[in-house]
Amino acid sequence: MPFRKVQNTALPAPELENKSSLPTNMWWSNLVVKSTLQPIYPYPYTAEVNAHGLFFWYTSQNQEGRRYFLKKNTGWSVDFESSRKGVSYYDDLIVNYEWKNNEGTKSINVPFVKGSPYISIYFNNIKPHFTLRDNEAFITSITRLEGKSGYTVSLSNGKTWVIYCDNELELKQESNIHIVGLNEGYTGYIRFAYIPGYGDKGKTLELLSDGHKSVPERGQVTFHGNQIHHNYVTSDGRNDKLVMLALKHQKKRLTNVLHADVNTGYKTLKGDMRPIIGSNWVLNYNDINKIKWSIPKNIPSDSIEKIDTALNSETINQSDLKTRNIYFRGKALARVARLAIIAYELNNREKVNEYADLLKENIELLFNSRSDNNLVYDETYGGLITTDSNNNGNEDFGNAHYNDHNFHYGYYVYSIAALVKVMYNKCEWVEQWKPHIYSIVEEYTAIENNHRYYTKMRNFSFYDGQSWASGLVEFEYCNNMESTSEAVNSYYAAYLLYLELGEMEKANAVNLVLTSEIDSAQEYYQTSPGKIYDQEFSKNYIVGILWEPSAEYTTWFGNNDEYIYGIQMLPFTPITFSLLQKEWLNQAWPTIKSRTVDNPQISDEWKAFILMAGAMVNSDARNQLDTFVQSNPRFDSGNSKTNTVWWLEICKQI
């Protein structure tokens, strides 16, 4: 490890087994932070854990003001007074939570699996006891299923649950809210499944009954060519019987499984969930990203002249490159990197050398730990954090809490990749700084299951097909992400760097993640009426912050409309042409324009970003951007006049 090693002082000791590295942006992070009393969201359910056992429910959707969210519903508690509890196992797709008595003779284990239509509870030598938690509903009947595999439970509010039993078990309704098992020491799985009222109940029940004995207990993700594989291992070994649910972004790509022709009616925040049978999910990315350093367009000579003129007049604010804040310093460095790449495209060697020297100087400050706010290796959790954030957890946007690591380090990775691309003595420089280069890129893009220093794909959630960014911070809504465009650019940067380093296996894996991140951004952030979310919310045409159970029209730093749209667009690089879907942008542009560029109070920095997006699809926006650029406006610290002119001239060609 080339960076100085420290213990994390901004976070408490981890609840998980202290391996060399621990996951820090998982969808189940609420199980391991502070009180562990806040919910997690194993779609299509929500679950809470405490010392008294488990509480879970099936969610419904609701619209309120600037957000579309999942609402708490009637649910069940599994009662067990434990003395020890916590996460006992986790992998790429599954987390197991365990409650034990002092002697270890009795326990409950729950493998939480996103996409499972069941909540599965493994009882070890315990008399089962379940309580309905709802002040307005009660149990009206409990009926044995044919074949004695379980029971149908009907509630007074018209809702139906099914309880499946792994082994022979007699359940009895003890009161209008209690169900108990008659076996004093039951051992085996009990699985709860909600039967949605707006699907085909009969076929759904048949599907669930046929697959109820196959419980997913292990899951691994691997990369193969243009495919991402999700491999589940079940409790009974009958992997072909595994019943799961797929989200929209998955279903269109899934092969090697059976797409069950059943309208189950399962819904969650991200739309309808479709039943899938089979344990080896193969997601095909035949449209894997093809963009590397630029887009394959010939730039006309008059456009080249305009870009070169802007490049030769560009000035660099050196103070931006020396700021203590890791995020803003990275943005400023990536701005220089874009200038270097544009100069390289134009064969302007004088400018290439100027920017390469500037990049080299500032990157080596980071590598040498000679900046005011250095990177250090956190041995507690296994990751790179800043000294400022380790001393004060609120600094650098909570970097020591592992917030936004892909955003923060993605800018540096892009800058390193650009320097390697354009410099003359690249082999010598790469060899000199190889440990540092690999350390910073692998911090958030390690693809190995047992990397020496870092957790696998730190921010990326394989089931969701997107990143989560808020790290080890306790929130009621668990993890979230604000800027999907910065996530996309972080993987784009890593892809480019791996290509420059000749790491083709890593480049391909990260390119698959990049393509998936774009896919999810277009499905779940770039919204429109009738697409996924409530009609009223979708009229915003964007999600500002996406939480596990809530899509919100806002940002962490303000409610200005230009912030909400712009944070899902910046920074503007060649990959943005893939990220911003033209069909969506055509629909959304009138709304975006009226709320942002038509507002005389909008700042130059944000106006540039919004007009750059509009220029992709609208000739008036291109003309307005052209006029705007000539007015000598202020640009964001991560943007420049040259990059804006380059963007405009490319937009004229597509």
Side-chain angles (χ1 to χ4, degrees):
M1 170 50 61
F3 295 99
R4 181 169 63 90
K5 297 178 180 180
V6 300
Q7 298 298 311
N8 194 312
T9 60
L11 279 169
E15 296 287 335
L16 299 171
E17 177 189 350
N18 196 0
K19 299 179 181 178
S20 61
S21 63
L22 297 171
T24 54
N25 278 272
M26 50 283 189
W27 61 268
W28 44 269
S29 60
N30 272 347
L31 295 180
V32 294
V33 295
K34 294 185 181 178
S35 69
T36 73
L37 297 178
Q38 296 292 355
I40 61 169
Y41 300 87
Y43 297 156
Y45 300 100
T46 302
E48 295 175 359
V49 302
N50 56 53
H52 308 293
L54 169 71
F55 175 39
F56 61 90
W57 63 92
Y58 177 80
T59 54
S60 59
Q61 299 76 44
N62 198 22
Q63 159 76 39
E64 182 182 90
R66 300 168 74 95
R67 68 188 183 113
Y68 176 75
F69 63 101
L70 298 179
K71 179 179 157 185
K72 199 166 186 176
N73 279 330
T74 304
W76 296 91
S77 65
V78 182
D79 307 316
F80 174 60
E81 291 295 329
S82 62
S83 54
R84 290 179 288 167
K85 64 180 179 65
V87 171
S88 60
Y89 172 83
Y90 60 87
D91 57 32
D92 296 340
L93 298 166
I94 294 170
V95 58
N96 192 86
Y97 201 86
E98 183 177 50
W99 294 258
K100 284 183 178 180
N101 65 357
N102 264 325
E103 298 77 22
T105 56
K106 298 177 183 291
S107 63
I108 291 176
N109 287 274
V110 178
F112 291 111
V113 188
K114 270 199 173 184
S116 175
Y118 316 85
I119 289 287
S120 308
I121 310 115
Y122 187 84
F123 289 81
N124 176 30
N125 193 28
I126 293 174
K127 181 176 182 176
H129 187 278
F130 312 115
T131 303
L132 182 69
R133 300 290 187 188
D134 192 311
N135 294 330
E136 299 178 358
F138 55 87
I139 301 167
T140 56
S141 67
I142 174 169
T143 308
R144 191 92 187 211
L145 289 171
E146 290 184 18
K148 298 185 178 181
S149 60
Y151 297 82
T152 300
V153 181
S154 300
L155 307 182
S156 60
N157 57 8
K159 295 180 179 179
T160 303
W161 289 78
V162 179
I163 305 175
Y164 293 102
C165 309
D166 208 13
N167 299 316
E168 185 62 27
L169 173 65
E170 290 288 334
L171 292 180
K172 176 186 176 183
Q173 181 178 344
E174 191 175 57
S175 73
N176 64 359
I177 61 169
H178 293 291
I179 294 174
V180 297
L182 300 184
N183 306 43
E184 285 299 323
Y186 177 77
T187 296
Y189 273 109
I190 295 177
R191 309 186 79 184
F192 278 72
Y194 178 74
I195 308 296
Y198 27 77
D200 188 326
K201 286 188 173 183
K203 287 186 178 180
T204 300
L205 183 58
E206 183 180 341
L207 178 73
L208 295 174
S209 297
D210 190 45
H212 82 273
K213 288 196 173 183
S214 298
V215 182
E217 294 183 321
R218 297 288 186 271
Q220 185 179 26
V221 172
T222 53
F223 306 96
H224 305 272
N226 66 341
Q227 298 174 338
I228 299 178
H229 290 209
H230 293 192
N231 299 288
Y232 295 94
V233 177
T234 61
S235 57
D236 65 350
R238 301 174 67 195
N239 295 339
D240 61 325
K241 290 289 188 180
L242 176 64
V243 178
M244 293 284 287
L245 301 170
L247 293 171
K248 186 178 179 183
H249 78 275
Q250 297 164 328
K251 188 176 184 298
K252 65 185 181 183
R253 298 188 181 278
L254 265 174
T255 60
N256 204 50
V257 291
L258 175 64
H259 293 252
D261 187 20
V262 179
N263 178 18
T264 58
Y266 287 108
K267 297 178 182 291
T268 191
L269 181 78
K270 292 181 174 179
D272 294 344
M273 305 184 78
R274 302 298 185 186
I276 301 296
I277 302 174
S279 64
N280 183 11
W281 289 23
V282 176
L283 290 96
N284 288 285
Y285 291 87
N286 296 324
D287 56 347
I288 191 169
N289 166 58
K290 300 291 194 302
I291 292 178
K292 295 179 182 177
W293 283 106
S294 193
I295 64 170
K297 291 287 181 182
N298 293 321
I299 306 176
S301 56
D302 59 333
S303 292
I304 291 175
E305 185 178 344
K306 290 178 184 177
I307 300 168
D308 204 42
T309 299
L311 185 68
N312 287 317
S313 66
E314 198 76 63
T315 58
I316 302 297
N317 187 340
Q318 293 284 343
S319 63
D320 288 343
L321 294 168
K322 300 298 187 287
T323 180
R324 294 185 71 95
N325 184 280
I326 191 75
Y327 172 71
F328 290 115
R329 194 184 344 150
K331 284 183 68 173
L333 199 60
R335 175 182 187 266
V336 176
R338 276 297 297 145
L339 293 172
I341 291 300
I342 293 171
Y344 186 83
E345 286 184 21
L346 300 182
N347 201 27
N348 186 333
R349 198 66 223 184
E350 181 181 348
K351 282 296 180 180
V352 168
N353 294 338
E354 175 188 336
Y355 294 130
D357 288 345
L358 199 54
L359 287 170
K360 183 172 178 289
E361 173 192 344
N362 284 278
I363 289 169
E364 289 183 0
L365 279 177
L366 185 76
F367 288 169
N368 276 323
S369 298
R370 289 190 289 109
S371 68
D372 291 333
N373 180 19
N374 295 316
L375 291 179
V376 290
Y377 179 74
D378 169 21
E379 289 188 296
T380 309
Y381 286 88
L384 290 181
I385 60 175
T386 65
T387 51
D388 280 1
S389 65
N390 199 33
N391 294 330
N392 179 346
N394 294 322
E395 292 295 324
D396 291 322
F397 302 105
N399 179 277
H401 289 84
Y402 290 89
N403 179 56
D404 292 353
H405 273 210
N406 52 346
F407 302 168
H408 293 174
Y409 302 140
Y411 285 111
Y412 293 91
V413 169
Y414 183 82
S415 303
I416 295 165
L419 177 59
V420 174
K421 173 72 175 174
V422 305
M423 73 188 313
Y424 279 127
N425 57 336
K426 64 180 69 181
C427 294
E428 179 184 335
W429 189 84
V430 167
E431 191 60 32
Q432 178 184 358
W433 297 107
K434 192 173 184 179
H436 299 77
I437 294 169
Y438 277 86
S439 191
I440 196 167
V441 67
E442 290 181 341
E443 204 277 346
Y444 69 96
T445 64
I447 63 171
E448 299 89 345
N449 287 319
N450 297 294
H451 192 279
R452 183 178 178 185
Y453 295 112
Y454 299 124
T455 190
K456 186 174 180 179
M457 292 304 304
R458 182 178 304 282
N459 294 87
F460 192 73
S461 172
F462 290 107
Y463 179 84
D464 294 291
Q466 66 159 82
S467 295
W468 298 115
S470 60
L472 293 168
V473 182
E474 186 175 37
F475 290 115
E476 178 185 354
Y477 291 167
C478 205
N479 226 308
N480 71 79
M481 188 167 70
E482 182 177 61
S483 179
T484 186
S485 53
E486 286 181 298
V488 164
N489 272 277
S490 74
Y491 300 123
Y492 173 57
Y495 169 58
L496 294 175
L497 180 55
Y498 284 133
L499 286 177
E500 293 301 319
L501 297 174
E503 293 279 7
M504 303 315 293
E505 181 183 357
K506 293 178 179 180
N508 185 70
V510 172
N511 200 23
L512 283 166
V513 169
L514 165 61
T515 307
S516 177
E517 191 80 53
I518 290 172
D519 205 15
S520 292
Q522 293 174 348
E523 290 287 0
Y524 307 125
Y525 286 80
Q526 297 170 20
T527 190
S528 58
K531 190 173 181 180
I532 289 181
Y533 307 117
D534 175 270
Q535 188 81 357
E536 192 61 32
F537 178 83
S538 295
K539 289 178 182 177
N540 295 310
Y541 287 96
I542 201 68
V543 174
I545 302 175
L546 185 65
W547 299 80
E548 293 272 10
S550 181
E552 302 186 356
Y553 184 71
T554 187
T555 73
W556 283 104
F557 54 95
N559 285 328
N560 287 23
D561 295 289
E562 63 269 23
Y563 301 167
I564 301 168
Y565 294 106
I567 200 62
Q568 304 303 343
M569 299 171 176
L570 64 85
F572 279 74
T573 68
I575 200 64
T576 311
F577 286 106
S578 291
L579 170 62
L580 299 184
Q581 196 174 38
K582 281 193 171 183
E583 181 183 357
W584 164 75
L585 199 49
N586 266 313
Q587 283 184 277
W589 180 244
T591 298
I592 296 173
K593 179 178 180 294
S594 66
R595 294 183 180 184
T596 58
V597 295
D598 288 350
N599 179 359
Q601 302 303 315
I602 189 173
S603 69
D604 286 353
E605 293 87 344
W606 288 99
K607 188 173 185 178
F609 286 136
I610 302 299
L611 284 174
M612 288 169 82
M616 290 179 63
V617 295
N618 186 273
S619 59
D620 288 341
R622 287 193 287 274
N623 293 335
Q624 194 172 352
L625 181 59
D626 204 351
T627 302
F628 174 77
V629 168
Q630 304 311 318
S631 68
N632 198 28
R634 297 181 304 275
F635 291 96
D636 179 79
S637 63
N639 196 19
S640 65
K641 180 176 181 178
T642 302
N643 189 51
T644 307
V645 172
W646 178 92
W647 181 270
L648 176 60
E649 295 307 313
I650 294 294
C651 285
K652 290 176 181 178
Q653 312 306 317
I654 60 176

